[in-house]
Amino acid sequence: MMRNWVVDLISGHEPKVRKDLEERSGISRREFLVGALAAGAGTVIIPNILNAPTAYASSVNSTTSRLMPDFATATAFQGTVVGAASNALSIDPGYGLPVQKVTLNSSSEIWQYGTFGGGLPCIDDDMVVRSMTPGVLQMGWINEVAYDSVVLSQTDRSLTVIPHVPGHPSMGALEVSTTNSTLWRNAIQNTLGRPSATIVGARIVGYRTGGTVIATEVNYVTQTDAEMGAAVVGGQVQSGILTVALTPENITCYRYTNGNATYFNCGNNGGACGLCNTLNSSQAAWPYIYNDQNCDNGCTNQCPLQCGDLFYFSLCGNQAMIQLEVVDVGPCQRSGSGCSCLTQVCGYTCGGDPCGIGSAPRVTDLTAPTRARLIGSYGCAYCSVATLCSCTSCGCAL
């Protein structure tokens, strides 16, 4: 199926299934995390880590904004189109999972060739679907791709890049075409416009058509930017301890870090943990997987988690925090033990951020269905990530 091309491109390795999930060290720590989080039933309301900015508050009250604060009732999934009619689609998530059928109505929006307003997908297209009403497509994305990359060369119309996924084997060179409509943005300075200097890295967002990738966005890094971005530690990383007293006797503490989140494709049973599921819209990558790969190495000092652990995610400083499952390693903030960063994203700001903040660093990467559910059409958004800790010390629970 055509979707395998997308999975192979983004994952960069054969899917593997972790055999040590219940045999690894630190089981008591995992039981603590899962047991404590279970009471939240997936979503919990806590005091704001940061007050929601005006841009976010306005979009929440808008009936036309594509920002999605209603993730508690939304669902999303990804798969290969196996049937397409004027008002109905059949999408196969693969790996023996049941085919998903959705209908379209006058409010349904489909992203195709870089913009909303596209037509129906073709058979074998890759598609991500978001629904607010079960079985009804609210938003859909056809053949969208997004990944970090090393830039080998550039012309006026194309880039030669090596896509990179943290901790995974490097992939081969790929030609990415650009058009007059391609949005160019400096990922460190957060300024728009084509680069005047040589690009050394970029986050590519675009779509696949046949064997070609067309970039709709190029978030680039020059050599000077890379050196500046690599130095972003400490002062610009917003983190701290949050104490929540639900009752005088029930006090919970969290370690949190503020930054931004992007997204990536992860095929079924793929990712560093072998846990990705294209029918699951509550999954993400974490930069430091304990005893495995450290792609943080001091950029944010996020606590190490393990495959299958849960953490809290909050969009735009909103009070609602949702639990996400760790299924992969990333983003690749800095090179650490077991993780070679070809593209370091510690200093990457968030372009087009619906929250209106856009601050660095990147603290998590959402799987494509999770992104569709939580931030809709936006490719990057300001967020907070948090883990439970002991209120007496609030250190990392290992």
Side-chain angles (χ1 to χ4, degrees), residues 377-389:
S377 63
Y378 291 92
C380 182
Y382 178 79
C383 70
S384 301
V385 294
T387 53
L388 284 168
C389 60

Side-chain angles (χ1 to χ4, degrees), residues 36-53:
L37 290 171
T43 304
V44 65
I45 305 297
I46 64 173
N48 283 4
I49 289 178
L50 282 180
N51 291 328

